[in-house]
Amino acid sequence: MVNKNKMMKQKYVMLALILLATLSVKADEGMWLLQLMQEQNLADKMKQQGLQLEVNDIYNPQAVSLKDAVGIFGGGCTGEIISADGLVLTNHHCGYDAIQQHSSVEHDYLTDGFWAKSKSEELATPGLGFTFIERIVDITDSVNARIARKEITEIESFTHRFLNKLAQEMLVASDLYGKSGISAQALPFYAGNKFYLFFKKKYSDVRMVAAPPSSIGKFGGETDNWMWPRHTGDFSVFRIYGDANGEPADYAKTNVPLKSKKHFAISLKGLGEGDYAMVMGFPGSTNRYLTASEIRQEMTSSNEPRIKVREARQNVLREEMKQSDKIRIQYASKFASSSNYWKNAIGMNEAIVENKVIETKQLQEQQFAAFAAAQNNEAYKSVIAKIDAAVAKNAPLQYEWTAYTEAFFTGIEFGFPYKVCELLADAYKAKNDSAIAEHTQTLKDIFAEIHNKDYDHEVDRKVMKTLLPLYKGMVTADKLPEIYDFINKKYKDDFDMFVDDCYDRSIFANEANFNKFINKPTRKAVEKDPMTPYVESKHARLAELRTQFGALNDSLDLLHKIYVRGLGEMKQPSPAYPDANFTLRLTYGNVKSYRPKDGIHYNYFTTMRGIMEKEDPNNREFNVPAKLKELYNNKDFGRYAMKNGEMPVCFTSTNDITGGNSGSPVINARGELIGTAFDGNWESLSGDINFDNDLQRCINVDIRYVLFVIEKLGGCKNLIDEMTIVE
């Protein structure tokens, strides 16, 4: 019996070792933490791929490095510094909100583009910031010590409340406390097995410098989104300003361009198949360590309801935007944002099936079971079954949560702050002048926020008329919020009548209604407002869902901590990277073509010839500016053309990226800028869940096309002259 057990154990160990070989992270896979590059011996692997720099050139806690030329652009993209005077390059779609903010029917920068020929022409952009990472600190021991002392529970260590409190405590205790623009953020990694603290420095005076027309920056539109071959000049240019000492400051005419610690030199030497390519940026979110059951849940409970609701809303917006330039400009950014992840969800579900991702995860689970048996680790042996059981309970809630939030919080914009209205009515009745003034101002601010320049009441009316009945058909009757009973009883289930009542009669529907109320506010007016039961019901059901979700998600978090720790041990000695969470990462690979299917080969680059081949004057997505055609016909490419005289536009690389990497610098072996990442390819849309080394490609705009457009079409030689260009 002893000998049999020994033989069985040896068999499991051998099986685990064999299967481990198939699990080793491939060279191009990985969103690596810069602070762990030395520990994980990434330098050797990157140099095998072609890197000519040292790791300290990329990230050095004690000195300036390439890390200091990269930052967070706005709230969800990456940007890179490309001059000593704080010039920032990012994607057109990352700068889209800012471009739209400055656009009007009279100054349609979305359509016509914007080019500042001098610093005095650069446009201040309220609300836009650029954030550098000043310092990264491992705080795992500190968090674990608090758990050990029972100051917090293990699940509390994941919570924003605890991590925000800890970050603030550590900021106050640091030498950076009190300095302008400095903040701190603590985050879990490896599913809570490690924790890091990030000290950030945010500049709030960021000005728009250059943006190509959308016919370049969004060329291909919805049709080409997530597709290759691609011909999109997806870039825009901004500049960081600070005070006279180079420190963050609110906008002021006296502010000056930031003297950059580090900026990228730009290479015009061109690209070849197999050339080293590295991307540094802030990938938003991945789920590489999900089980097969969780992936099925992602497909059916997240992607499917998201696709359905967004498609319905987008159909309304698309028709309205066709009818009016005013509405087209108002809803341009909202539509683009919605459409991006609508198409992503469609592509992800297709790619999961096509790339056999569930089967791959099932194999990984078998491998993990063998490893757990070989280790005789009871927690590892049972963790997948426990995750599957939690998912079975969670999946219906996840479906409802996605459908509900997409319809009532992302889709329908009109709302009604009935509680503040009640407070005003009470203050008015009590003749409390200070409270009347306070609540009146609050309501005026909310009214202005709802009826902002990017909102159209009639468009949103049509959206609500579409989404209310749609949602009713997506869930069972017992899951519907109470507003549906109200509509059934008072309006005989006539959704259009209810919506028209809200959008015509509500206190917040128009200025006349609003002014009438604030001049003589009463509780009766609030009670009779048709939007009151809608908003009450909307938030009540959300609270119920959040409560039901809480316990299930807590248990899943703890189970994932065990599972990810086990996967990390199983993959040793190969290094493993944590899921993306919008923190600074590096991915390395090569410029490379690919074969999506038998008989199909996609080259690694595109040229302007493809723009002309796709041109369609009757389709706004494929319009080509007359000036660009003129430059093409005259072959007026200057020093930016390839050796054969053609003008490059985009290229593909094997870098591992996701949302948040938009705008990230693509860097060659010498640390020079060769492009800007902006998309992934259709075949790899399951990449957030499972990386496919053969199919996954990062789509980048070639820096030569960027500079060509800036100089030749935009006429901004002034910007070219301040860059460091290597030919």
Side-chain angles (χ1 to χ4, degrees), residues 543-613:
E544 291 171 5
L545 287 171
R546 187 176 282 124
T547 300
Q548 293 172 50
F549 250 146
L552 284 171
N553 284 337
D554 286 352
S555 65
L556 270 171
D557 283 342
L558 292 176
L559 290 169
H560 266 284
K561 184 172 182 177
I562 296 168
Y563 185 44
V564 170
R565 182 168 62 241
L567 286 174
E569 292 173 9
M570 185 174 78
K571 290 182 181 181
Q572 293 297 334
S574 296
Y577 58 91
D579 269 322
N581 57 357
F582 202 54
T583 53
L584 187 58
R585 309 292 181 99
L586 177 139
T587 169
Y588 63 93
N590 302 91
V591 174
K592 196 173 181 180
S593 55
Y594 72 105
R595 297 179 181 274
K597 292 181 180 178
D598 182 50
I600 299 175
H601 175 263
Y602 285 143
N603 204 352
Y604 67 89
F605 69 93
T606 58
T607 69
M608 278 186 67
R609 184 177 69 177
I611 295 175
M612 302 309 154
E613 290 170 348

Side-chain angles (χ1 to χ4, degrees), residues 195-318:
F195 294 84
Y196 287 97
L197 181 71
F198 296 83
F199 290 99
K200 300 179 175 183
K201 188 173 189 176
K202 182 176 181 179
Y203 285 82
S204 56
D205 185 357
V206 180
R207 305 183 192 183
M208 190 165 81
V209 176
S214 293
S215 51
I216 291 175
K218 284 179 65 68
F219 183 80
E222 277 185 80
T223 303
D224 274 4
N225 193 20
W226 304 105
M227 309 301 289
W228 183 260
R230 198 66 172 274
H231 300 85
T232 311
D234 196 347
F235 77 90
S236 56
V237 183
F238 293 78
R239 192 185 303 278
I240 302 169
Y241 281 74
D243 65 18
N245 298 315
E247 296 301 322
D250 291 337
Y251 170 80
K253 288 184 178 181
T254 54
N255 284 352
V256 295
L258 176 69
K259 294 301 177 186
S260 313
K261 277 195 217 174
K262 182 75 176 177
H263 69 276
F264 284 103
I266 294 171
S267 173
L268 299 185
K269 293 180 179 179
L271 313 168
E273 179 100 22
D275 282 357
Y276 181 85
M278 180 168 64
V279 170
M280 202 186 303
F282 295 81
S285 176
T286 56
N287 294 287
R288 295 274 170 84
Y289 305 108
L290 296 181
T291 63
S293 63
E294 289 175 299
I295 293 171
R296 291 190 192 96
Q297 176 183 267
E298 185 76 11
M299 295 176 72
T300 59
S301 298
S302 293
N303 288 344
E304 287 181 8
R306 179 170 293 113
I307 291 164
K308 192 167 187 175
V309 176
R310 290 197 178 201
E311 188 169 81
R313 178 176 181 249
Q314 285 163 199
N315 286 340
V316 174
L317 299 187
R318 189 180 290 110

Side-chain angles (χ1 to χ4, degrees), residues 460-530:
D460 201 60
R461 183 197 300 258
K462 291 178 181 178
V463 169
M464 193 177 192
K465 285 182 177 181
T466 299
L467 296 189
L468 274 177
L470 176 72
Y471 184 78
K472 183 182 180 182
M474 293 179 70
V475 298
T476 55
D478 60 310
K479 304 295 185 186
L480 289 171
E482 290 183 7
I483 189 62
Y484 283 89
D485 283 338
F486 177 79
I487 295 170
N488 183 36
K489 290 173 183 174
K490 185 168 182 179
Y491 296 89
K492 302 188 187 307
D493 230 21
D494 189 330
F495 291 106
D496 285 1
M497 187 184 298
F498 167 70
V499 173
D500 285 337
D501 220 10
C502 289
Y503 282 67
D504 291 338
R505 288 186 47 238
S506 174
I507 291 167
F508 266 62
N510 53 61
E511 228 173 307
N513 292 4
F514 179 71
N515 289 334
K516 181 180 178 182
F517 175 77
I518 61 172
N519 287 332
K520 192 176 180 181
T522 64
R523 280 222 167 211
K524 186 176 181 181
V526 179
E527 291 165 4
K528 286 189 171 183
D529 195 299

Side-chain angles (χ1 to χ4, degrees), residues 68-74 78-81 88-89 128-132 201-206 240:
D68 298 301
V70 181
I72 298 171
F73 180 86
T78 302
E80 56 268 18
I81 311 300
V88 174
L89 178 65
L128 181 61
F130 192 91
T131 306
F132 293 98
K201 188 173 189 176
K202 182 176 181 179
Y203 285 82
S204 56
D205 185 357
V206 180
I240 302 169

